[in-house]
Amino acid sequence: MFPLSRRSLLSASGSLLLLPATARASKEDWRALGEDVKREMRWAWGQYRGHAWGKDQIKPISGGFESFPLKNHHLGLSLIEALDTLWVMGLDDEFRDGVDWVKRNLDFDVDGEVSVFETSIRLVGGLLSAYHASRDPALLANARDCADRLMPSFAASPLGIPHRFINLRTGAIRDPITNPAETGTFIPEFGFLSRATGDDRYRAAAKRAQVSMFERRSKIGLLADAMDCMTGEWKSRRASIGPPSDSYYEYLWDGWDLLGDRECLAMYRACTAAILRHQPRTTGGHLWFVDVDFETGKPINWDQDELASFYGGLLGQGGARREGAAYTRSWAAVQKRFGILPEGYDPATGKVLSATNSLRPELADAAFNLWLIDRREEWRIIARDHYLAMKRWNKARYGYADMADVTKKTQSDHCPGYWWSEQMKYYYLIFSDTPRFDYRRAYLSTEGNVLRGFRR
Ligand code: IFL
């Protein structure tokens, strides 16, 4: 459905030319590692099938389950997030089983409140990538039903910026104080939906929200990280590449990558130029991006959030390969030190600010995106170390578990839905070289959902 974009062509041909002959040589048996990832996925799916089938999230230590994004009602979140990962791994029986569950059970008509952002990236995105894999129209219909229930949150604001929460049945909205990520992380899913259904309302709503926030950037080109979606008034002074801003920047690039939207490309370039001008700092030979005042550019702190480690991959995709590689190496050095990244880290002092790690995929995401560009062995090695550490420390009786403390390697009884969609897919793709995936032209969303590039 999506033609090969000029951007993909440029980066694909460029990367082949840049590829040194030695970059492919390796002592590691990458395909065997890919098979190992697939075995782990099959095992984890079996646990979920046996202990939490149709529930949102399995509790990997106790074998219980918990709901998300609704309170006390399950939508099969992990199952939906897993679908395209199962498919690309060739776990076809498991994929069919999951799709059958969706067809028999999924119903979004629930009197309960969800995060508009989380529901879009995980559920709309998960259903659309499963539709991309299978072309089963029931999956598209489910995705559309879900998106239709989110749409009133965009319409309620004069700026077209969604409130953060909405009731799936009544459309009642809540919380107008939003942020860049929850404003601008919709266009690939909604754009895909518009193309697939012929109804442009979804893409247009997603785009308008992105533009409304972009137009309110400061004179030095930075966005703060809290805004009233009804008035457009900023409620914070902090500019950050981490949460809750991170995927706003990602989806400016993605609007160009997936949909060929030149205005998205121009907005991406303007935001990135401002970030590269005001936020980089170096310590101990490592590049970091610090939080700054969005109007003056004055540094606020050196605190680093692990979720920002995706950003090296995005910089690489957008053409800033040197900075993207340097930033990813900075995080890889922290991974070497702790085995698993702490979610909060201060590179100026080397201190851990938050020792948790909720099975975070971001460094594997960055490594995968950089590897797609230049096929350098070092990115695969970062992904391998990420995977092997996860196998060693996060594996529990009924699945993979969060880390309560990466310095002590203690687990906590939670497995987020994105685990099924993100790192297991990144690992498999970077190691396996599967024919089901077009490595030159694929598109993956912020949640790891493949919306272009599956080969049937
Ligand atoms: O839902 C995930 C997604 O990658 C995102 N933010 C955080 C999650 C993973 O840490 O956009």
Side-chain angles (χ1 to χ4, degrees):
M1 180 195 314
F2 297 103
L4 187 53
S5 72
R6 195 168 313 164
R7 200 257 348 147
S8 314
L9 272 173
L10 284 174
S11 94
S13 57
S15 57
L16 289 178
L17 288 175
L18 284 171
L19 187 63
T22 51
R24 281 192 175 154
S26 169
K27 285 186 211 112
E28 186 81 50
D29 186 346
W30 294 112
R31 281 187 194 204
L33 203 54
E35 283 308 302
D36 193 59
V37 175
K38 182 172 166 177
R39 263 194 306 279
E40 289 305 302
M41 183 74 181
R42 187 189 276 126
W43 170 78
W45 178 261
Q47 296 300 319
Y48 173 78
R49 184 82 177 79
H51 299 279
W53 188 231
K55 305 297 182 194
D56 287 331
Q57 293 174 149
I58 189 164
K59 295 182 85 168
I61 298 175
S62 61
F65 44 79
E66 58 194 339
S67 69
F68 180 83
L70 284 161
K71 278 196 191 96
N72 307 319
H73 187 100
H74 292 264
L75 296 167
L77 174 78
S78 295
L79 182 154
I80 291 171
E81 297 229 43
L83 287 176
D84 74 331
T85 309
L86 295 170
W87 186 86
V88 83
M89 289 180 175
L91 295 171
D92 295 335
D93 292 344
E94 288 83 351
F95 176 77
R96 261 191 303 275
D97 205 13
V99 170
D100 284 350
W101 182 90
V102 169
K103 288 181 170 175
R104 290 206 187 104
N105 301 289
L106 186 59
D107 183 1
F108 289 113
D109 188 21
V110 183
D111 187 6
E113 189 181 66
V114 293
S115 152
V116 177
F117 157 80
E118 298 286 6
T119 305
S120 179
I121 62 171
R122 294 162 181 252
L123 292 164
V124 177
L127 290 162
L128 289 178
S129 58
Y131 168 68
H132 173 45
S134 65
R135 284 288 179 259
D136 187 325
L139 298 169
L140 179 63
N142 280 129
R144 186 177 199 174
D145 177 37
C146 186
D148 282 339
R149 293 170 189 276
L150 304 180
M151 287 293 275
S153 66
F154 292 81
S157 148
L159 308 172
I161 295 179
H163 281 62
R164 296 183 60 222
F165 297 97
I166 193 160
N167 182 299
L168 283 175
R169 181 176 293 162
T170 67
I173 48 174
R174 181 173 69 81
D175 202 350
I177 307 302
T178 188
N179 54 62
E182 291 180 79
T183 294
T185 312
F186 296 94
I187 199 160
E189 293 83 2
F190 280 31
F192 184 106
L193 196 52
S194 282
R195 284 191 173 175
T197 59
D199 181 345
D200 195 49
R201 285 179 312 121
Y202 308 104
R203 184 209 57 80
K207 175 76 183 291
R208 182 159 174 243
Q210 285 180 305
V211 172
S212 285
M213 186 161 275
F214 178 76
E215 285 172 344
R216 284 161 178 79
R217 70 196 182 284
S218 72
K219 288 203 176 95
I220 62 170
L222 295 173
L223 307 177
D225 65 1
M227 176 184 273
D228 185 327
C229 77
M230 298 302 279
T231 63
E233 194 189 334
W234 288 111
K235 295 289 182 188
S236 140
R237 301 196 60 82
R238 186 178 81 126
S240 170
I241 59 158
S245 297
D246 43 11
S247 49
Y248 178 87
Y249 304 114
E250 185 177 0
Y251 271 22
L252 292 178
W253 175 257
D254 290 7
W256 159 244
D257 184 352
L258 184 67
L259 306 176
D261 186 318
R262 291 193 165 276
E263 207 183 346
C264 283
L265 178 62
M267 293 191 287
Y268 173 79
R269 285 186 173 149
C271 287
T272 307
I275 291 167
L276 289 177
R277 175 141 196 219
H278 296 287
Q279 295 186 243
R281 295 290 184 284
T282 305
T283 182
H286 290 297
L287 174 67
W288 296 99
F289 290 87
V290 299
D291 295 346
V292 299
D293 183 284
F294 83 120
E295 285 181 322
T296 66
K298 222 172 125 202
I300 295 174
N301 61 53
W302 275 79
D303 299 2
Q304 302 293 317
D305 193 310
E306 184 281 341
L307 273 82
S309 63
F310 87 99
Y311 193 64
L314 177 61
L315 282 176
Q317 287 178 296
R321 290 194 193 175
R322 200 162 40 87
E323 293 86 348
Y327 184 55
T328 303
R329 289 184 189 120
S330 303
W331 280 109
V334 183
Q335 173 170 264
K336 254 203 163 55
R337 180 171 159 208
F338 294 101
I340 297 175
L341 292 177
E343 284 188 16
Y345 179 68
D346 180 351
T349 61
K351 282 200 180 125
V352 171
L353 302 175
S354 164
T356 57
N357 184 303
S358 189
L359 275 170
R360 295 292 178 185
E362 285 76 16
L363 185 59
D365 182 0
F368 177 55
N369 277 317
L370 292 171
W371 179 78
L372 284 177
I373 295 166
D374 63 17
R375 301 293 199 272
R376 287 177 69 91
E377 193 80 342
E378 70 171 305
W379 312 129
R380 267 181 156 171
I381 290 169
I382 291 170
R384 177 200 65 192
D385 292 350
H386 198 271
Y387 173 61
L388 294 179
M390 182 191 79
K391 251 186 99 174
R392 177 167 175 201
W393 286 304
N394 296 83
K395 195 165 179 177
R397 185 153 182 204
Y398 301 102
Y400 277 85
D402 288 4
M403 284 272 103
D405 188 328
V406 300
T407 64
K408 300 186 183 123
K409 305 294 185 290
T410 47
Q411 299 180 340
S412 72
D413 197 9
H414 178 256
C415 176
Y418 53 75
W419 179 82
W420 301 90
S421 179
E422 293 209 55
Q423 58 263 59
M424 292 306 276
K425 188 183 293 123
Y426 306 143
Y427 302 142
Y428 184 72
L429 291 176
I430 199 172
F431 303 146
S432 70
D433 205 9
T434 173
R436 288 202 173 185
F437 185 77
D438 185 338
Y439 285 82
R440 286 172 309 121
R441 61 180 294 274
Y443 166 82
L444 282 81
S445 75
T446 191
E447 193 74 359
N449 288 309
V450 178
L451 297 181
R452 182 183 66 209
F454 276 156
R455 289 203 289 220
R456 266 167 295 147

